Amino acid sequence: MSNHEKMSTTDLMENLREELTCFICLDYFSSPVTTECGHSFCLMCLLKSWEEHNTPLSCPECWRTLGAPHFQANERLGRLANIGRQLRSQVLQSEDEQSICGRMPGPSWVFSDDEQSVINVSPPSQGTNKACFSSEAEEQHKEKLQDIINILRKKKKEVQAILNHEKERVMLCKEVKGAMDRYESLLFQSPETTITELSLCHITGMREMLRKFSNTLGIFEWKLNWIVPLRWETSLFKDGADITLDPATANAYLLLSEDLKSVRYGGTRQQLPDNPERFDQSATVLGAQIFTCGRHYWEVEVGKKTEWEVGICKDSVNRKGNLPKPPGDLFSLIGLKIGDDYSLWVSSPLKGQHVREPVHKVGVFLDYDSGHIAFYNATDESLIYSFPPTPFHEALRPIFSPCLPNEGTNTDPLIICHI
């Protein structure tokens, strides 16, 4: 193969590497996903980028504003990235073998004292008839070893960061235990609802401790090194709101059950009137009940769906188009599962958190008079997220979206539970 052909192969390999590289981490794709605008990223890179930049949600490459964290897993691109990674490794290995003349081993390389570079410690050639490395091959090997050093330094920093994070978690657990001992007496009080963060951090033995108190069911949330008890009366679990779906608001692709207690995406547009109340582009339906006062609680079975959205919105919410809802118009919880990764998002403003286990049943609580909305994991009665207190001046309604089928992995319905 001529030098010109080698350069062409190198250029082709570099072009292939660029096409299979994530725009965020600049490495080969790992579990790639593709956004609405057509750009692809590693799943964890994209979620981390959204968490760091908060709102508005946008594509990290073209900065197009996105309405919601909707993206598709790109398994084919992931397989191509693995092939590209293996092919590049084989090409580099082949170049190494071709750079050796005869059977004499090549130069030896060692790290310098400061670990910032490599130096050649090979003995000088003993004669012109001995095999040796060309100066160009030596330089190439030196550059490759320098790249390895840079990667090792980067990995060293990452490992150190992980160790530091684990130390912080141990310290936080100790502080949480101390806070439990100091503030257990607060359960006898009835404090006002406090702003909470999306965390889903559970405290071992919490439910057993709460059973000691007969009058109040305290729901706790871990927030750094202190515990916030939320006022929660036992009657709220017993007397739930009887929520049904409003067919006049359902998108034409949604199918409602006869008892108006479940909704799923049908896949075929129905011949329905395009009345002002109906959502025309978003796969959404509202609850028939309208709230202007009082406390209300209901539960929604989301099962094993890979994407869903439930919550509360203003009765005047815009139902045409698919633009992001202004802050204050929508208070929703979104579940998203891609591969083995599961995350929860609240809106608005949009914020998310990667979690270990999926939520199968969501509890929605509204205290209209105190301006309080919260979401609960109804399976273990733990708090997911509590919105900051917001004074309500308009009528509110439940909102549901089973989301799109996602290549057949998200066809199950959302079911309003009987409490």
Side-chain angles (χ1 to χ4, degrees), residues 131 157 285 298 301 338 383 397:
K157 293 180 180 179
V285 59
W298 62 94
E301 181 75 38
I338 296 182
L383 174 67
R397 300 180 68 172

Side-chain angles (χ1 to χ4, degrees), residues 24 111 258 283 379:
I24 300 176
F111 296 155
E258 293 184 2
T379 303

Side-chain angles (χ1 to χ4, degrees), residues 10 38 76 103 121 135 142 146 236 271 281 285 345 354 395:
T10 302
R76 182 183 297 275
R103 298 182 179 179
V121 296
S135 59
K142 184 175 180 180
Q146 189 67 55
L236 293 178
Q271 297 299 320
Q281 294 189 27
V285 59
W345 299 76
H354 178 79

Side-chain angles (χ1 to χ4, degrees), residues 373-390:
I373 293 177
F375 296 110
Y376 294 85
N377 184 337
T379 303
D380 61 12
E381 299 176 2
S382 63
L383 174 67
I384 296 176
Y385 184 78
S386 177
F387 283 94
T390 303

Side-chain angles (χ1 to χ4, degrees), residues 236-418:
L236 293 178
F237 283 103
K238 298 177 181 177
D239 302 324
D242 185 17
I243 303 299
T244 56
L245 302 173
D246 183 359
T249 66
N251 180 278
Y253 283 90
L254 299 183
L255 298 179
L256 309 185
S257 62
E258 293 184 2
D259 62 356
L260 301 179
K261 286 287 188 178
S262 70
V263 55
R264 64 181 178 88
Y265 189 87
T268 303
R269 183 180 178 85
Q270 305 172 79
Q271 297 299 320
L272 300 175
D274 187 19
N275 49 290
E277 299 85 3
R278 191 179 308 281
F279 289 89
D280 62 346
Q281 294 189 27
S282 174
T284 303
V285 59
L286 296 183
Q289 288 66 34
I290 299 177
F291 305 126
T292 57
C293 64
R295 294 180 179 179
H296 311 275
Y297 177 77
W298 62 94
E299 294 177 354
V300 183
E301 181 75 38
V302 300
K304 297 182 179 180
K305 291 179 65 62
T306 57
E307 187 176 3
W308 48 265
E309 182 176 10
V310 298
I312 298 172
C313 68
K314 290 183 179 179
D315 185 34
S316 61
V317 68
N318 181 26
R319 306 173 194 185
K320 304 303 179 182
N322 198 20
L323 296 176
K325 305 296 186 292
D329 281 11
L330 176 65
F331 305 87
S332 70
L333 178 67
I334 302 170
L336 189 62
K337 184 178 185 296
I338 296 182
D340 295 329
D341 295 301
Y342 192 83
S343 58
L344 292 175
W345 299 76
V346 292
S347 175
S348 59
L350 188 68
K351 61 178 68 174
Q353 176 69 47
H354 178 79
V355 294
R356 292 183 179 180
E357 298 294 335
V359 175
H360 300 295
K361 184 185 293 186
V362 177
V364 185
F365 174 60
L366 166 66
D367 187 339
Y368 189 99
D369 300 320
S370 65
H372 176 52
I373 293 177
F375 296 110
Y376 294 85
N377 184 337
T379 303
D380 61 12
E381 299 176 2
S382 63
L383 174 67
I384 296 176
Y385 184 78
S386 177
F387 283 94
T390 303
F392 301 130
H393 304 292
E394 298 184 29
L396 302 179
R397 300 180 68 172
I399 187 170
F400 309 86
S401 176
C403 298
L404 301 180
N406 194 13
E407 299 182 356
T409 64
N410 192 45
T411 57
D412 294 340
L414 290 178
I415 303 173
I416 303 172
C417 302
H418 295 278

Side-chain angles (χ1 to χ4, degrees), residues 115-241:
E115 296 186 355
Q116 302 299 313
S117 60
V118 292
I119 56 177
N120 184 359
V121 296
S122 299
S125 175
Q126 300 299 319
T128 57
N129 61 338
K130 300 291 184 178
C132 63
F133 271 47
S134 66
S135 59
E136 181 180 356
E138 290 183 7
E139 194 64 30
Q140 290 178 353
H141 275 267
K142 184 175 180 180
E143 291 177 357
K144 293 173 184 176
L145 289 174
Q146 189 67 55
D147 291 340
I148 294 175
I149 294 173
N150 295 335
I151 293 174
L152 290 176
R153 287 205 306 270
K154 179 180 178 182
K155 294 297 181 183
K156 180 179 178 181
K157 293 180 180 179
E158 293 177 353
V159 171
Q160 187 62 45
I162 293 174
L163 292 176
N164 293 337
H165 180 66
E166 290 299 322
K167 292 179 181 179
E168 292 177 0
R169 289 183 60 186
V170 172
M171 293 180 62
L172 287 173
C173 288
K174 293 180 179 179
E175 293 175 354
V176 167
K177 184 179 183 301
M180 287 288 293
D181 296 336
R182 292 193 300 271
Y183 297 114
E184 184 173 327
S185 61
L186 292 179
L187 280 173
F188 292 106
Q189 304 175 15
S190 182
E192 292 299 324
T193 302
T194 306
I195 303 172
T196 62
E197 299 296 332
L198 181 63
S199 61
L200 275 182
C201 293
H202 298 184
I203 303 172
T204 302
M206 177 189 71
R207 299 182 70 188
E208 288 72 11
M209 183 191 69
L210 295 178
R211 291 194 182 100
K212 299 177 183 178
F213 305 96
S214 59
N215 295 327
T216 304
L217 177 61
I219 300 259
F220 285 85
E221 182 236 357
W222 174 49
K223 183 177 181 182
L224 296 181
N225 62 344
W226 53 285
I227 301 299
V228 182
L230 295 178
R231 182 172 59 197
W232 183 266
E233 298 180 0
T234 55
S235 61
L236 293 178
F237 283 103
K238 298 177 181 177
D239 302 324

